[in-house]
Amino acid sequence: MTTLARWARAEWGPLYLAVRGPLARRRWRAAPMTIGAVGLTAVLHIVHNQSWGFRFVEDVGAVRAEDPLWLALLRTPLSLFVPALDLPVWGALAQILLVFGIAEICLGWWRTLVIAYVATLAGTLYARVGIWLGPDSPLGLPASDALVVDTGPSAAVVGLAVFLGWRYRAYVTAGVVIVAMVVEVLLKDNLAGKEHLAAIAAVLVLCAVSARRHRRPTSMAGSGLPPIRS
């Protein structure tokens, strides 16, 4: 076995084994929530691009920092499935299918949604704090970003990718995702990039909490991080 193959097996082997069995037995039925999420995202994108549906999707799923907080929180659940109009929708659909699908198989559908919403909400709340801090702060944002729609599914995808990388010890993969988001902010300092970093920060807190909950006494065998699929 080559060095690269050994590294790939060590990096992705546990995650591959966790996904292979359920996917082989149940196929698409192994991730019904993900299939529904992909379908909902596709439908919302189509409706969003219609003159008769644009305002509807904006009213139920577009979150901006200028919105009252109660309204933003009310729209947040559906905002997770409203992709950006200026980006190819197939990219968002592919990300949801791959990352949500793996997460649902490995973590269960409700844990997947919890992590996804924590990541999305972190970005939403950061936008408000960043605008309050102002452009002169390293963590601040210009007032004009209050009019920009939040990231949609991308913050959730990034957050889930980092959590899965940590949970299944694909640390290099998780690190690459984090570094890529940092580079994104350095090259293109925009709201979406900083919301991705806020999502990562929130998910790293979840990782720390999960590690603390599953920590075992050193006298017990095992790593203390068993699979949490349910």
Side-chain angles (χ1 to χ4, degrees), residues 109-130:
W109 68 268
W110 72 268
R111 287 188 179 93
T112 298
L113 284 180
V114 167
I115 295 168
Y117 280 123
V118 166
T120 300
L121 190 59
T124 295
L125 296 178
Y126 159 73
R128 295 169 182 272
V129 174

mmCIF file with all atom_site columns, all heavy atoms in Angstrom, residues 109-130:
data_model
loop_
_atom_site.group_PDB
_atom_site.id
_atom_site.type_symbol
_atom_site.label_atom_id
_atom_site.label_alt_id
_atom_site.label_comp_id
_atom_site.label_asym_id
_atom_site.label_entity_id
_atom_site.label_seq_id
_atom_site.pdbx_PDB_ins_code
_atom_site.Cartn_x
_atom_site.Cartn_y
_atom_site.Cartn_z
_atom_site.occupancy
_atom_site.B_iso_or_equiv
_atom_site.pdbx_formal_charge
_atom_site.auth_seq_id
_atom_site.auth_comp_id
_atom_site.auth_asym_id
_atom_site.auth_atom_id
_atom_site.pdbx_PDB_model_num
ATOM 1   N N   . TRP A 1 109 ? -30.838 12.295 11.313 1.00 0.00 ? 109 TRP A N   1
ATOM 2   C CA  . TRP A 1 109 ? -31.392 13.483 10.659 1.00 0.00 ? 109 TRP A CA  1
ATOM 3   C C   . TRP A 1 109 ? -31.548 14.659 11.596 1.00 0.00 ? 109 TRP A C   1
ATOM 4   O O   . TRP A 1 109 ? -31.293 15.797 11.230 1.00 0.00 ? 109 TRP A O   1
ATOM 5   C CB  . TRP A 1 109 ? -32.726 13.152 9.992  1.00 0.00 ? 109 TRP A CB  1
ATOM 6   C CG  . TRP A 1 109 ? -33.848 12.845 10.949 1.00 0.00 ? 109 TRP A CG  1
ATOM 7   C CD1 . TRP A 1 109 ? -34.215 11.628 11.427 1.00 0.00 ? 109 TRP A CD1 1
ATOM 8   C CD2 . TRP A 1 109 ? -34.726 13.803 11.548 1.00 0.00 ? 109 TRP A CD2 1
ATOM 9   N NE1 . TRP A 1 109 ? -35.271 11.747 12.289 1.00 0.00 ? 109 TRP A NE1 1
ATOM 10  C CE2 . TRP A 1 109 ? -35.615 13.061 12.375 1.00 0.00 ? 109 TRP A CE2 1
ATOM 11  C CE3 . TRP A 1 109 ? -34.864 15.186 11.467 1.00 0.00 ? 109 TRP A CE3 1
ATOM 12  C CZ2 . TRP A 1 109 ? -36.631 13.679 13.123 1.00 0.00 ? 109 TRP A CZ2 1
ATOM 13  C CZ3 . TRP A 1 109 ? -35.871 15.809 12.207 1.00 0.00 ? 109 TRP A CZ3 1
ATOM 14  C CH2 . TRP A 1 109 ? -36.736 15.053 13.026 1.00 0.00 ? 109 TRP A CH2 1
ATOM 15  N N   . TRP A 1 110 ? -31.935 14.408 12.850 1.00 0.00 ? 110 TRP A N   1
ATOM 16  C CA  . TRP A 1 110 ? -32.198 15.555 13.724 1.00 0.00 ? 110 TRP A CA  1
ATOM 17  C C   . TRP A 1 110 ? -30.909 16.206 14.193 1.00 0.00 ? 110 TRP A C   1
ATOM 18  O O   . TRP A 1 110 ? -30.840 17.431 14.327 1.00 0.00 ? 110 TRP A O   1
ATOM 19  C CB  . TRP A 1 110 ? -33.097 15.153 14.886 1.00 0.00 ? 110 TRP A CB  1
ATOM 20  C CG  . TRP A 1 110 ? -32.479 14.295 15.951 1.00 0.00 ? 110 TRP A CG  1
ATOM 21  C CD1 . TRP A 1 110 ? -32.466 12.933 16.034 1.00 0.00 ? 110 TRP A CD1 1
ATOM 22  C CD2 . TRP A 1 110 ? -31.773 14.761 17.122 1.00 0.00 ? 110 TRP A CD2 1
ATOM 23  N NE1 . TRP A 1 110 ? -31.798 12.512 17.159 1.00 0.00 ? 110 TRP A NE1 1
ATOM 24  C CE2 . TRP A 1 110 ? -31.373 13.610 17.847 1.00 0.00 ? 110 TRP A CE2 1
ATOM 25  C CE3 . TRP A 1 110 ? -31.456 16.017 17.613 1.00 0.00 ? 110 TRP A CE3 1
ATOM 26  C CZ2 . TRP A 1 110 ? -30.663 13.696 19.044 1.00 0.00 ? 110 TRP A CZ2 1
ATOM 27  C CZ3 . TRP A 1 110 ? -30.746 16.103 18.812 1.00 0.00 ? 110 TRP A CZ3 1
ATOM 28  C CH2 . TRP A 1 110 ? -30.365 14.959 19.509 1.00 0.00 ? 110 TRP A CH2 1
ATOM 29  N N   . ARG A 1 111 ? -29.860 15.417 14.435 1.00 0.00 ? 111 ARG A N   1
ATOM 30  C CA  . ARG A 1 111 ? -28.573 16.025 14.792 1.00 0.00 ? 111 ARG A CA  1
ATOM 31  C C   . ARG A 1 111 ? -28.012 16.820 13.613 1.00 0.00 ? 111 ARG A C   1
ATOM 32  O O   . ARG A 1 111 ? -27.403 17.875 13.792 1.00 0.00 ? 111 ARG A O   1
ATOM 33  C CB  . ARG A 1 111 ? -27.581 14.961 15.235 1.00 0.00 ? 111 ARG A CB  1
ATOM 34  C CG  . ARG A 1 111 ? -27.857 14.369 16.612 1.00 0.00 ? 111 ARG A CG  1
ATOM 35  C CD  . ARG A 1 111 ? -26.709 13.478 17.051 1.00 0.00 ? 111 ARG A CD  1
ATOM 36  N NE  . ARG A 1 111 ? -26.947 12.931 18.379 1.00 0.00 ? 111 ARG A NE  1
ATOM 37  C CZ  . ARG A 1 111 ? -27.518 11.762 18.623 1.00 0.00 ? 111 ARG A CZ  1
ATOM 38  N NH1 . ARG A 1 111 ? -27.915 11.014 17.599 1.00 0.00 ? 111 ARG A NH1 1
ATOM 39  N NH2 . ARG A 1 111 ? -27.687 11.332 19.855 1.00 0.00 ? 111 ARG A NH2 1
ATOM 40  N N   . THR A 1 112 ? -28.205 16.285 12.425 1.00 0.00 ? 112 THR A N   1
ATOM 41  C CA  . THR A 1 112 ? -27.762 17.008 11.224 1.00 0.00 ? 112 THR A CA  1
ATOM 42  C C   . THR A 1 112 ? -28.438 18.365 11.131 1.00 0.00 ? 112 THR A C   1
ATOM 43  O O   . THR A 1 112 ? -27.786 19.392 10.882 1.00 0.00 ? 112 THR A O   1
ATOM 44  C CB  . THR A 1 112 ? -28.071 16.183 9.963  1.00 0.00 ? 112 THR A CB  1
ATOM 45  O OG1 . THR A 1 112 ? -27.345 14.945 10.016 1.00 0.00 ? 112 THR A OG1 1
ATOM 46  C CG2 . THR A 1 112 ? -27.686 16.939 8.701  1.00 0.00 ? 112 THR A CG2 1
ATOM 47  N N   . LEU A 1 113 ? -29.741 18.406 11.335 1.00 0.00 ? 113 LEU A N   1
ATOM 48  C CA  . LEU A 1 113 ? -30.466 19.668 11.261 1.00 0.00 ? 113 LEU A CA  1
ATOM 49  C C   . LEU A 1 113 ? -30.057 20.612 12.387 1.00 0.00 ? 113 LEU A C   1
ATOM 50  O O   . LEU A 1 113 ? -29.940 21.826 12.175 1.00 0.00 ? 113 LEU A O   1
ATOM 51  C CB  . LEU A 1 113 ? -31.971 19.419 11.310 1.00 0.00 ? 113 LEU A CB  1
ATOM 52  C CG  . LEU A 1 113 ? -32.605 18.884 10.025 1.00 0.00 ? 113 LEU A CG  1
ATOM 53  C CD1 . LEU A 1 113 ? -34.098 18.680 10.223 1.00 0.00 ? 113 LEU A CD1 1
ATOM 54  C CD2 . LEU A 1 113 ? -32.356 19.846 8.863  1.00 0.00 ? 113 LEU A CD2 1
ATOM 55  N N   . VAL A 1 114 ? -29.828 20.100 13.582 1.00 0.00 ? 114 VAL A N   1
ATOM 56  C CA  . VAL A 1 114 ? -29.403 20.950 14.697 1.00 0.00 ? 114 VAL A CA  1
ATOM 57  C C   . VAL A 1 114 ? -28.080 21.632 14.367 1.00 0.00 ? 114 VAL A C   1
ATOM 58  O O   . VAL A 1 114 ? -27.921 22.855 14.530 1.00 0.00 ? 114 VAL A O   1
ATOM 59  C CB  . VAL A 1 114 ? -29.285 20.138 15.995 1.00 0.00 ? 114 VAL A CB  1
ATOM 60  C CG1 . VAL A 1 114 ? -28.541 20.940 17.063 1.00 0.00 ? 114 VAL A CG1 1
ATOM 61  C CG2 . VAL A 1 114 ? -30.667 19.763 16.518 1.00 0.00 ? 114 VAL A CG2 1
ATOM 62  N N   . ILE A 1 115 ? -27.103 20.856 13.898 1.00 0.00 ? 115 ILE A N   1
ATOM 63  C CA  . ILE A 1 115 ? -25.791 21.431 13.567 1.00 0.00 ? 115 ILE A CA  1
ATOM 64  C C   . ILE A 1 115 ? -25.927 22.422 12.418 1.00 0.00 ? 115 ILE A C   1
ATOM 65  O O   . ILE A 1 115 ? -25.327 23.501 12.437 1.00 0.00 ? 115 ILE A O   1
ATOM 66  C CB  . ILE A 1 115 ? -24.794 20.307 13.219 1.00 0.00 ? 115 ILE A CB  1
ATOM 67  C CG1 . ILE A 1 115 ? -24.543 19.435 14.437 1.00 0.00 ? 115 ILE A CG1 1
ATOM 68  C CG2 . ILE A 1 115 ? -23.476 20.898 12.712 1.00 0.00 ? 115 ILE A CG2 1
ATOM 69  C CD1 . ILE A 1 115 ? -23.801 18.141 14.126 1.00 0.00 ? 115 ILE A CD1 1
ATOM 70  N N   . ALA A 1 116 ? -26.732 22.068 11.416 1.00 0.00 ? 116 ALA A N   1
ATOM 71  C CA  . ALA A 1 116 ? -26.926 22.963 10.277 1.00 0.00 ? 116 ALA A CA  1
ATOM 72  C C   . ALA A 1 116 ? -27.546 24.285 10.713 1.00 0.00 ? 116 ALA A C   1
ATOM 73  O O   . ALA A 1 116 ? -27.115 25.363 10.274 1.00 0.00 ? 116 ALA A O   1
ATOM 74  C CB  . ALA A 1 116 ? -27.813 22.284 9.230  1.00 0.00 ? 116 ALA A CB  1
ATOM 75  N N   . TYR A 1 117 ? -28.540 24.228 11.570 1.00 0.00 ? 117 TYR A N   1
ATOM 76  C CA  . TYR A 1 117 ? -29.198 25.457 12.006 1.00 0.00 ? 117 TYR A CA  1
ATOM 77  C C   . TYR A 1 117 ? -28.327 26.266 12.950 1.00 0.00 ? 117 TYR A C   1
ATOM 78  O O   . TYR A 1 117 ? -28.361 27.500 12.932 1.00 0.00 ? 117 TYR A O   1
ATOM 79  C CB  . TYR A 1 117 ? -30.545 25.138 12.645 1.00 0.00 ? 117 TYR A CB  1
ATOM 80  C CG  . TYR A 1 117 ? -31.631 24.893 11.628 1.00 0.00 ? 117 TYR A CG  1
ATOM 81  C CD1 . TYR A 1 117 ? -32.353 23.701 11.612 1.00 0.00 ? 117 TYR A CD1 1
ATOM 82  C CD2 . TYR A 1 117 ? -31.926 25.843 10.651 1.00 0.00 ? 117 TYR A CD2 1
ATOM 83  C CE1 . TYR A 1 117 ? -33.331 23.473 10.660 1.00 0.00 ? 117 TYR A CE1 1
ATOM 84  C CE2 . TYR A 1 117 ? -32.903 25.616 9.708  1.00 0.00 ? 117 TYR A CE2 1
ATOM 85  C CZ  . TYR A 1 117 ? -33.602 24.427 9.710  1.00 0.00 ? 117 TYR A CZ  1
ATOM 86  O OH  . TYR A 1 117 ? -34.564 24.202 8.765  1.00 0.00 ? 117 TYR A OH  1
ATOM 87  N N   . VAL A 1 118 ? -27.535 25.603 13.789 1.00 0.00 ? 118 VAL A N   1
ATOM 88  C CA  . VAL A 1 118 ? -26.597 26.339 14.647 1.00 0.00 ? 118 VAL A CA  1
ATOM 89  C C   . VAL A 1 118 ? -25.610 27.112 13.788 1.00 0.00 ? 118 VAL A C   1
ATOM 90  O O   . VAL A 1 118 ? -25.318 28.291 14.050 1.00 0.00 ? 118 VAL A O   1
ATOM 91  C CB  . VAL A 1 118 ? -25.862 25.371 15.594 1.00 0.00 ? 118 VAL A CB  1
ATOM 92  C CG1 . VAL A 1 118 ? -24.657 26.055 16.244 1.00 0.00 ? 118 VAL A CG1 1
ATOM 93  C CG2 . VAL A 1 118 ? -26.807 24.875 16.685 1.00 0.00 ? 118 VAL A CG2 1
ATOM 94  N N   . ALA A 1 119 ? -25.071 26.465 12.747 1.00 0.00 ? 119 ALA A N   1
ATOM 95  C CA  . ALA A 1 119 ? -24.121 27.135 11.858 1.00 0.00 ? 119 ALA A CA  1
ATOM 96  C C   . ALA A 1 119 ? -24.773 28.310 11.136 1.00 0.00 ? 119 ALA A C   1
ATOM 97  O O   . ALA A 1 119 ? -24.198 29.405 11.052 1.00 0.00 ? 119 ALA A O   1
ATOM 98  C CB  . ALA A 1 119 ? -23.568 26.131 10.845 1.00 0.00 ? 119 ALA A CB  1
ATOM 99  N N   . THR A 1 120 ? -25.985 28.089 10.624 1.00 0.00 ? 120 THR A N   1
ATOM 100 C CA  . THR A 1 120 ? -26.691 29.153 9.909  1.00 0.00 ? 120 THR A CA  1
ATOM 101 C C   . THR A 1 120 ? -27.034 30.305 10.829 1.00 0.00 ? 120 THR A C   1
ATOM 102 O O   . THR A 1 120 ? -26.850 31.480 10.482 1.00 0.00 ? 120 THR A O   1
ATOM 103 C CB  . THR A 1 120 ? -27.979 28.593 9.276  1.00 0.00 ? 120 THR A CB  1
ATOM 104 O OG1 . THR A 1 120 ? -27.634 27.548 8.352  1.00 0.00 ? 120 THR A OG1 1
ATOM 105 C CG2 . THR A 1 120 ? -28.738 29.674 8.528  1.00 0.00 ? 120 THR A CG2 1
ATOM 106 N N   . LEU A 1 121 ? -27.516 29.995 12.016 1.00 0.00 ? 121 LEU A N   1
ATOM 107 C CA  . LEU A 1 121 ? -27.894 31.037 12.971 1.00 0.00 ? 121 LEU A CA  1
ATOM 108 C C   . LEU A 1 121 ? -26.677 31.834 13.437 1.00 0.00 ? 121 LEU A C   1
ATOM 109 O O   . LEU A 1 121 ? -26.760 33.044 13.655 1.00 0.00 ? 121 LEU A O   1
ATOM 110 C CB  . LEU A 1 121 ? -28.608 30.410 14.161 1.00 0.00 ? 121 LEU A CB  1
ATOM 111 C CG  . LEU A 1 121 ? -29.282 31.372 15.137 1.00 0.00 ? 121 LEU A CG  1
ATOM 112 C CD1 . LEU A 1 121 ? -30.323 32.232 14.429 1.00 0.00 ? 121 LEU A CD1 1
ATOM 113 C CD2 . LEU A 1 121 ? -29.925 30.590 16.285 1.00 0.00 ? 121 LEU A CD2 1
ATOM 114 N N   . ALA A 1 122 ? -25.541 31.153 13.569 1.00 0.00 ? 122 ALA A N   1
ATOM 115 C CA  . ALA A 1 122 ? -24.316 31.856 13.963 1.00 0.00 ? 122 ALA A CA  1
ATOM 116 C C   . ALA A 1 122 ? -23.952 32.920 12.934 1.00 0.00 ? 122 ALA A C   1
ATOM 117 O O   . ALA A 1 122 ? -23.580 34.049 13.280 1.00 0.00 ? 122 ALA A O   1
ATOM 118 C CB  . ALA A 1 122 ? -23.168 30.861 14.123 1.00 0.00 ? 122 ALA A CB  1
ATOM 119 N N   . GLY A 1 123 ? -24.074 32.562 11.646 1.00 0.00 ? 123 GLY A N   1
ATOM 120 C CA  . GLY A 1 123 ? -23.800 33.541 10.601 1.00 0.00 ? 123 GLY A CA  1
ATOM 121 C C   . GLY A 1 123 ? -24.788 34.683 10.613 1.00 0.00 ? 123 GLY A C   1
ATOM 122 O O   . GLY A 1 123 ? -24.419 35.855 10.451 1.00 0.00 ? 123 GLY A O   1
ATOM 123 N N   . THR A 1 124 ? -26.058 34.359 10.817 1.00 0.00 ? 124 THR A N   1
ATOM 124 C CA  . THR A 1 124 ? -27.097 35.388 10.853 1.00 0.00 ? 124 THR A CA  1
ATOM 125 C C   . THR A 1 124 ? -26.867 36.381 11.985 1.00 0.00 ? 124 THR A C   1
ATOM 126 O O   . THR A 1 124 ? -26.961 37.600 11.794 1.00 0.00 ? 124 THR A O   1
ATOM 127 C CB  . THR A 1 124 ? -28.484 34.719 11.022 1.00 0.00 ? 124 THR A CB  1
ATOM 128 O OG1 . THR A 1 124 ? -28.759 33.936 9.862  1.00 0.00 ? 124 THR A OG1 1
ATOM 129 C CG2 . THR A 1 124 ? -29.573 35.749 11.203 1.00 0.00 ? 124 THR A CG2 1
ATOM 130 N N   . LEU A 1 125 ? -26.557 35.867 13.171 1.00 0.00 ? 125 LEU A N   1
ATOM 131 C CA  . LEU A 1 125 ? -26.344 36.751 14.324 1.00 0.00 ? 125 LEU A CA  1
ATOM 132 C C   . LEU A 1 125 ? -25.028 37.517 14.196 1.00 0.00 ? 125 LEU A C   1
ATOM 133 O O   . LEU A 1 125 ? -24.939 38.674 14.622 1.00 0.00 ? 125 LEU A O   1
ATOM 134 C CB  . LEU A 1 125 ? -26.358 35.930 15.612 1.00 0.00 ? 125 LEU A CB  1
ATOM 135 C CG  . LEU A 1 125 ? -27.693 35.243 15.925 1.00 0.00 ? 125 LEU A CG  1
ATOM 136 C CD1 . LEU A 1 125 ? -27.579 34.422 17.211 1.00 0.00 ? 125 LEU A CD1 1
ATOM 137 C CD2 . LEU A 1 125 ? -28.820 36.260 16.033 1.00 0.00 ? 125 LEU A CD2 1
ATOM 138 N N   . TYR A 1 126 ? -24.009 36.868 13.608 1.00 0.00 ? 126 TYR A N   1
ATOM 139 C CA  . TYR A 1 126 ? -22.743 37.577 13.413 1.00 0.00 ? 126 TYR A CA  1
ATOM 140 C C   . TYR A 1 126 ? -22.931 38.815 12.541 1.00 0.00 ? 126 TYR A C   1
ATOM 141 O O   . TYR A 1 126 ? -22.326 39.866 12.793 1.00 0.00 ? 126 TYR A O   1
ATOM 142 C CB  . TYR A 1 126 ? -21.686 36.671 12.776 1.00 0.00 ? 126 TYR A CB  1
ATOM 143 C CG  . TYR A 1 126 ? -20.598 37.501 12.133 1.00 0.00 ? 126 TYR A CG  1
ATOM 144 C CD1 . TYR A 1 126 ? -19.671 38.172 12.912 1.00 0.00 ? 126 TYR A CD1 1
ATOM 145 C CD2 . TYR A 1 126 ? -20.574 37.700 10.751 1.00 0.00 ? 126 TYR A CD2 1
ATOM 146 C CE1 . TYR A 1 126 ? -18.725 38.997 12.332 1.00 0.00 ? 126 TYR A CE1 1
ATOM 147 C CE2 . TYR A 1 126 ? -19.636 38.519 10.168 1.00 0.00 ? 126 TYR A CE2 1
ATOM 148 C CZ  . TYR A 1 126 ? -18.708 39.165 10.956 1.00 0.00 ? 126 TYR A CZ  1
ATOM 149 O OH  . TYR A 1 126 ? -17.794 40.005 10.395 1.00 0.00 ? 126 TYR A OH  1
ATOM 150 N N   . ALA A 1 127 ? -23.756 38.704 11.493 1.00 0.00 ? 127 ALA A N   1
ATOM 151 C CA  . ALA A 1 127 ? -23.952 39.838 10.587 1.00 0.00 ? 127 ALA A CA  1
ATOM 152 C C   . ALA A 1 127 ? -24.421 41.065 11.363 1.00 0.00 ? 127 ALA A C   1
ATOM 153 O O   . ALA A 1 127 ? -23.967 42.188 11.109 1.00 0.00 ? 127 ALA A O   1
ATOM 154 C CB  . ALA A 1 127 ? -24.954 39.471 9.499  1.00 0.00 ? 127 ALA A CB  1
ATOM 155 N N   . ARG A 1 128 ? -25.290 40.860 12.322 1.00 0.00 ? 128 ARG A N   1
ATOM 156 C CA  . ARG A 1 128 ? -25.796 41.985 13.112 1.00 0.00 ? 128 ARG A CA  1
ATOM 157 C C   . ARG A 1 128 ? -24.706 42.564 14.003 1.00 0.00 ? 128 ARG A C   1
ATOM 158 O O   . ARG A 1 128 ? -24.557 43.779 14.123 1.00 0.00 ? 128 ARG A O   1
ATOM 159 C CB  . ARG A 1 128 ? -26.984 41.524 13.954 1.00 0.00 ? 128 ARG A CB  1
ATOM 160 C CG  . ARG A 1 128 ? -28.174 41.120 13.099 1.00 0.00 ? 128 ARG A CG  1
ATOM 161 C CD  . ARG A 1 128 ? -29.258 40.413 13.888 1.00 0.00 ? 128 ARG A CD  1
ATOM 162 N NE  . ARG A 1 128 ? -30.329 40.028 12.970 1.00 0.00 ? 128 ARG A NE  1
ATOM 163 C CZ  . ARG A 1 128 ? -31.341 40.819 12.652 1.00 0.00 ? 128 ARG A CZ  1
ATOM 164 N NH1 . ARG A 1 128 ? -31.456 42.018 13.220 1.00 0.00 ? 128 ARG A NH1 1
ATOM 165 N NH2 . ARG A 1 128 ? -32.255 40.429 11.794 1.00 0.00 ? 128 ARG A NH2 1
ATOM 166 N N   . VAL A 1 129 ? -23.933 41.670 14.621 1.00 0.00 ? 129 VAL A N   1
ATOM 167 C CA  . VAL A 1 129 ? -22.840 42.135 15.478 1.00 0.00 ? 129 VAL A CA  1
ATOM 168 C C   . VAL A 1 129 ? -21.778 42.842 14.643 1.00 0.00 ? 129 VAL A C   1
ATOM 169 O O   . VAL A 1 129 ? -21.252 43.894 15.038 1.00 0.00 ? 129 VAL A O   1
ATOM 170 C CB  . VAL A 1 129 ? -22.231 40.945 16.239 1.00 0.00 ? 129 VAL A CB  1
ATOM 171 C CG1 . VAL A 1 129 ? -20.996 41.389 17.026 1.00 0.00 ? 129 VAL A CG1 1
ATOM 172 C CG2 . VAL A 1 129 ? -23.259 40.327 17.178 1.00 0.00 ? 129 VAL A CG2 1
ATOM 173 N N   . GLY A 1 130 ? -21.459 42.281 13.478 1.00 0.00 ? 130 GLY A N   1
ATOM 174 C CA  . GLY A 1 130 ? -20.436 42.882 12.622 1.00 0.00 ? 130 GLY A CA  1
ATOM 175 C C   . GLY A 1 130 ? -20.816 44.275 12.159 1.00 0.00 ? 130 GLY A C   1
ATOM 176 O O   . GLY A 1 130 ? -19.972 45.189 12.128 1.00 0.00 ? 130 GLY A O   1
#
